Amino acid sequence: LFLICLAAVFWGTSGTTMVLMTQVAPMHPLVVAFWRLAIASPFLLFCAYTNKSLTSSNSSTSFPWKPYLGLGACMAAYQACYFLAVPLAGVAVTALVSICSSPIFITILAAKFLGEKLTLKIYISLSLGIAGTSLLVINPNAITNQGWQFFGGVLLALSAGFFYATYAVGAKAVIKNLDPFTVLGLSFTAAGLMLSPAFLFTNSLNTQNLQIQAPFLLYLGLVSTGVAYLIYMQGLKSTTATVAGIAVLLEPLTATCLGILIFRETMGINGAIGGLLLLGAIAILSLQKQPN
């Protein structure tokens, strides 16, 4: 439980770290997403290799590239949408919309592709989630200060939640036959390669700025991505999915608190109620009985 809580806290610091970095030396969000994956993937591959899972996966005559490429595409899209949303909607709203909507998307996708049943609790949580997201979208303070950029940021945050959910459901489907460490390492590597063309569309190859940005990028890649995903997987070995689902709520809570305390972000009454409804929706999903 401690490992899962720690991973959720690390994830919740990603948006704040990006904003702090851009205040010192601006970097395009797509390039930030690339560096996060490019730094995390060698670390995850090394962990898979030392765990002897990567070599055992390569021993088969036919290597399963399609699952890794598909999961990599989902992770690349998730990272890109998330980091593009932060400058538009803010750290708190981006975290709440993307992270809190992803379990709702997971529920829908799992019912469709994994055959998981929809219950009354799930229907209630979906209703609360939609209502909560709507209240966040019509937050008058954000609309007044940012205008249509806020709506664009919310749409990107929702897209991030969807692509993360797609990754989670896809990983759950393939992890029965593939090692989790290998899935993490190779899918993140594929995602990093897919985001590498971001350098062609942005002027981000500034050596002087990169030296200043390096500590932030290392933290994003190694701590809030590589270490966080590894310890989360380790924590899942000794706790239930229900407890893990509740503990992960620390991620949006961390991001929201950092956004309000550090950047003085305001959500207003509608935003606060919407956030509570989203958290309530996830809490109901977490109380849903999980199959053995």
Side-chain angles (χ1 to χ4, degrees):
L1 179 60
F2 172 76
L3 291 176
I4 292 174
C5 290
L6 186 60
V9 171
F10 286 154
W11 289 333
T13 63
S14 299
T16 302
T17 303
M18 176 192 168
V19 174
L20 289 173
M21 181 185 68
T22 54
Q23 289 179 350
V24 178
M27 176 179 283
H28 194 278
L30 287 178
V31 181
V32 175
F34 163 77
W35 280 116
R36 185 182 188 185
L37 295 171
I39 293 171
S41 57
F43 172 76
L44 292 170
L45 287 174
F46 175 76
C47 292
Y49 178 79
T50 55
N51 194 47
K52 297 182 180 180
S53 58
L54 185 61
T55 53
S56 61
S57 298
N58 285 333
S59 61
S60 60
T61 55
S62 59
F63 189 74
W65 287 108
K66 290 183 179 180
Y68 298 124
L69 290 176
L71 291 174
C74 293
M75 180 54 64
Y78 161 63
Q79 297 290 339
C81 290
Y82 187 91
F83 283 108
L84 285 171
V86 169
L88 300 177
V91 174
V93 172
T94 298
L96 280 171
V97 174
S98 62
I99 307 305
C100 293
S101 66
S102 60
I104 300 172
F105 287 125
I106 288 174
T107 301
I108 298 173
L109 293 174
K112 175 69 175 178
F113 298 103
L114 300 180
E116 297 184 2
K117 296 181 180 180
L118 293 174
T119 65
L120 178 60
K121 288 183 179 180
I122 293 177
Y123 282 118
I124 294 175
S125 66
L126 288 174
S127 301
L128 289 176
I130 294 172
T133 303
S134 300
L135 286 173
L136 282 171
V137 171
I138 63 173
N139 181 0
N141 291 331
I143 295 173
T144 302
N145 296 331
Q146 297 173 274
W148 289 103
Q149 287 186 347
F150 178 76
F151 289 106
V154 170
L155 182 60
L156 285 169
L158 282 172
S159 300
F162 172 77
F163 285 118
Y164 176 82
T166 306
Y167 181 90
V169 173
K172 184 176 181 180
V174 303
I175 211 168
K176 297 178 181 179
N177 302 318
L178 301 174
D179 177 78
F181 282 14
T182 303
V183 170
L184 281 175
L186 293 181
S187 64
F188 273 53
T189 300
L193 292 174
M194 291 176 188
L195 284 177
S196 60
F199 285 102
L200 300 177
F201 303 101
T202 59
N203 186 19
S204 301
L205 292 176
N206 189 314
T207 305
Q208 185 176 359
N209 284 346
L210 193 58
Q211 293 176 351
I212 302 173
Q213 296 158 342
F216 298 98
L217 295 175
L218 287 173
Y219 175 83
L220 283 173
L222 292 178
V223 180
S224 70
T225 306
V227 173
Y229 274 92
L230 280 181
I231 62 178
Y232 178 77
M233 296 296 291
Q234 288 295 114
L236 280 178
K237 292 181 179 180
S238 56
T239 189
T240 64
T242 299
V243 173
I246 296 173
V248 168
L249 293 178
L250 285 175
E251 178 180 359
L253 180 61
T254 300
T256 301
C257 292
L258 289 174
I260 294 173
L261 293 176
I262 297 178
F263 304 113
R264 307 293 183 182
E265 293 182 357
T266 57
M267 299 184 67
I269 297 177
N270 287 341
I273 295 174
L276 290 175
L277 289 178
L278 276 172
L279 293 176
I282 301 177
I284 293 175
L285 281 178
S286 300
L287 294 175
Q288 179 72 16
K289 291 183 178 180
Q290 303 292 325
N292 294 328

